[in-house]
Amino acid sequence: MMEDLRLSDPVEKAQFSQRVLIKTILSRPDGGAGLAGQTVKIGGWVKTGRKANKDEFAFVEVNDGSCPANLQVIIYATISPLDELVSTGACVHVEGKLDLPPQGKNKQQKIELKVDKVVHVGPVDPSNYPIPKTKLTLEFLRDHVHLRARTNTIASIARIRDELAYATHTFFRKHGFRYVHTPIISTSDCEGAGEMFQVTTLFSDAEKLDKELITHPPPSQAHLEAATVLVKDKGGIVAHLKSAKASKSEIGAAVSELTKAKESFSKLEERSKLKPGIPKKDGKVDYSQDFFARQAFLTVSGQLQVETYACALSKFWMVEPEIAFADLEDDMKCAEAYVKFMCQWLLDNCLDDMKFMVEKYDKGAIDRLKMVASTDFVRLSYTEAVAILEEVAKEKVFVNKVEWGVDLASEHERYLTEVKFKSPVIVYNYPKGIKAFYMKVNPDNKTVAAMDVLVPKVGELIGGSQREERYEVIKERISEMGLPLDPYQWYLDLRRFGTVKHSGFGLGFERMILFATGLENIRDVIPFPRYPGRADL
């Protein structure tokens, strides 16, 4: 019977434990009622629990993370002590028979589990458990990042995030792309803004050296002079033995002593040169002594590196797809299709979690997904967008200034999508002065072939461009941006050796989750958020 139940949902056929996922029971069209009479094992965490009928038995709501819904479990005191089983947060693994609840008792609950055996209990001390069953704010949960996934909200976000990641893989595989892992550590700045986290061992090396020099101070000048005298003396002994035609063994022993004296002097001399603090050369930090022998940073984008594969194997992606033999029009088509695909995927595969988000956070979340999935995106040039916004700005609607040459603010982007067009919008051909060096310069020499996909709720979701494939032009652009050419020589080689028209874009994955869920703060959709002052776990 258990094997039949597992196979009832093709997504859950492969099981690596004896338990059945609650989703496979409750997600059936009949809510699981048709499974009455079957014996199953389930495992999960207690959401709520209460003892009833003078502590004769307990009603326990169990959730295993496979879906938003809980399975009601009924456990009698004759089977297991109830106190540990009713505490919110406790882990339970139980076996029993699925049964229809009494008529009229609970119209939402179509099936419940009457427990015959308690396999395992992971108890919780209710007085210390930081995630009680009371309503909790998202800000509070950020202080308990290791436990917050047990809440309905964070669990739903995690499943939505997972579905979007799977949809991404599915979309690009369907369209012939290959997946590549680009380096996390980079020596080049993709966006040219210089706002990157540096990766260096210089500070830790300096701290170790400081401790070492305190414990074992460097040799004094007197020590060095004494070591020099010792080397000179040992050398004199060797010279004397040779002139006296001493035996080979005597000369060999003296040479060995001389070698030891020289090695000792060399080590002392090396230690005498050690200086506390960060190593410097010509008044600047000496990065040649760093781990990578040069400045290195956490990358802000893998786009530059992924171009190396796109310009050899045509199509590659890492949520930053890159397409060879493609212009800006192709890029916009791909971006639009990708966003629509993700929206439809959530509607088809994650509707329970989306309904939860609608109930608790954003009543328009599902309607927004439906609109984007079924609507052709409006396209307009940056110049056209600015003209529209300037007309509105006459009424002093915006906080941020609107004029040609200034990047669009979030309020401008949201006005275009939520008010003006009530649709996703792709803005293209931005002024080259506000875009990155690698974007193709248009014939007007004022704009570049860049595009941003704007959606309601979050504004910019995707940024992309046709890449500048002309060697001399991109070399000049790098210099215009005040960037050194040396770190980009490999990138310039792509333009020198078999250059080709190519395009790509980057999706703000967390922004996509914000767009889908309706949440406001990006920290709440990242499993382990890092932000100023916080890097928990």
Side-chain angles (χ1 to χ4, degrees), residues 327-378:
D327 59 17
L328 185 64
E329 177 65 24
D330 299 315
D331 204 33
M332 291 190 287
K333 286 179 180 177
C334 182
E336 179 174 344
Y338 173 38
V339 173
K340 286 183 174 182
F341 186 88
M342 285 191 292
C343 291
Q344 190 60 51
W345 185 277
L346 290 181
L347 294 170
D348 293 341
N349 298 282
C350 209
L351 194 56
D352 284 350
D353 286 303
M354 286 307 307
K355 286 179 177 177
F356 174 82
M357 301 311 297
V358 165
E359 179 186 351
K360 299 295 183 181
Y361 293 98
D362 186 350
K363 297 188 182 303
I366 290 177
D367 289 339
R368 192 165 57 246
L369 289 178
K370 289 179 178 178
M371 183 273 289
V372 173
S374 61
T375 303
D376 290 336
F377 292 10
V378 172

Side-chain angles (χ1 to χ4, degrees), residues 142-209:
R142 288 178 213 146
D143 291 329
H144 303 279
V145 71
H146 59 302
L147 294 171
R148 68 176 187 167
R150 296 188 185 183
T151 65
N152 294 334
T153 296
I154 302 301
S156 281
I157 292 169
R159 287 187 292 266
I160 290 169
R161 184 186 182 96
D162 172 65
E163 289 294 344
L164 286 171
Y166 189 66
T168 296
H169 281 270
T170 303
F171 175 84
F172 287 113
R173 174 54 63 93
K174 177 182 175 182
H175 290 283
F177 285 75
R178 291 292 180 180
Y179 186 43
V180 63
H181 295 85
T182 56
I184 295 172
I185 297 173
S186 174
T187 56
S188 56
D189 182 359
C190 178
E191 300 303 325
E195 297 176 349
M196 299 190 294
F197 282 98
Q198 189 167 343
V199 177
T200 179
T201 58
L202 291 179
F203 289 98
S204 58
D205 289 346
E207 288 177 355
K208 289 177 184 176
L209 178 59

Side-chain angles (χ1 to χ4, degrees), residues 275-471:
K275 305 294 181 185
I278 304 297
K280 293 189 176 182
K281 185 177 181 180
D282 299 328
K284 298 180 180 179
V285 176
D286 184 6
Y287 287 106
S288 67
Q289 297 189 44
D290 207 347
F291 187 87
F292 295 106
R294 61 195 299 187
Q295 269 189 294
F297 307 90
L298 293 181
T299 186
V300 295
S301 169
Q303 179 219 304
L304 302 188
Q305 290 83 359
V306 82
E307 284 186 45
T308 66
Y309 277 79
C311 290
L313 296 162
S314 298
K315 291 181 180 180
F316 261 83
W317 73 278
M318 41 81 66
V319 196
E320 288 185 314
E322 202 70 28
I323 319 167
F325 307 96
D327 59 17
L328 185 64
E329 177 65 24
D330 299 315
D331 204 33
M332 291 190 287
K333 286 179 180 177
C334 182
E336 179 174 344
Y338 173 38
V339 173
K340 286 183 174 182
F341 186 88
M342 285 191 292
C343 291
Q344 190 60 51
W345 185 277
L346 290 181
L347 294 170
D348 293 341
N349 298 282
C350 209
L351 194 56
D352 284 350
D353 286 303
M354 286 307 307
K355 286 179 177 177
F356 174 82
M357 301 311 297
V358 165
E359 179 186 351
K360 299 295 183 181
Y361 293 98
D362 186 350
K363 297 188 182 303
I366 290 177
D367 289 339
R368 192 165 57 246
L369 289 178
K370 289 179 178 178
M371 183 273 289
V372 173
S374 61
T375 303
D376 290 336
F377 292 10
V378 172
R379 296 188 188 182
L380 68 159
S381 70
Y382 168 87
T383 301
E384 292 170 327
V386 168
I388 292 170
L389 294 168
E390 283 178 329
E391 282 298 313
V392 179
K394 291 176 182 178
E395 301 175 8
K396 298 182 180 180
V397 173
F398 302 124
V399 174
N400 296 278
K401 188 176 182 180
V402 182
E403 64 180 8
W404 202 97
V406 175
D407 206 359
L408 302 183
S410 178
E411 61 175 334
H412 305 145
E413 296 168 341
R414 293 186 63 176
Y415 174 82
L416 292 173
T417 60
E418 297 173 11
V419 180
K420 175 64 178 178
F421 295 105
K422 294 182 173 57
S423 161
V425 175
I426 302 180
V427 178
Y428 60 91
N429 287 350
Y430 280 80
K432 72 175 184 178
I434 61 173
K435 288 297 183 180
F437 69 88
Y438 52 77
M439 298 183 177
K440 186 176 179 67
V441 178
N442 287 326
D444 62 13
N445 203 35
K446 293 169 53 182
T447 62
V448 289
M451 66 90 181
D452 289 340
V453 177
L454 315 179
V455 294
K457 185 69 180 175
V458 298
E460 181 186 341
L461 181 63
I462 282 176
S465 71
Q466 183 174 338
R467 316 312 190 189
E468 182 57 77
E469 82 277 10
R470 296 166 293 182
Y471 175 78

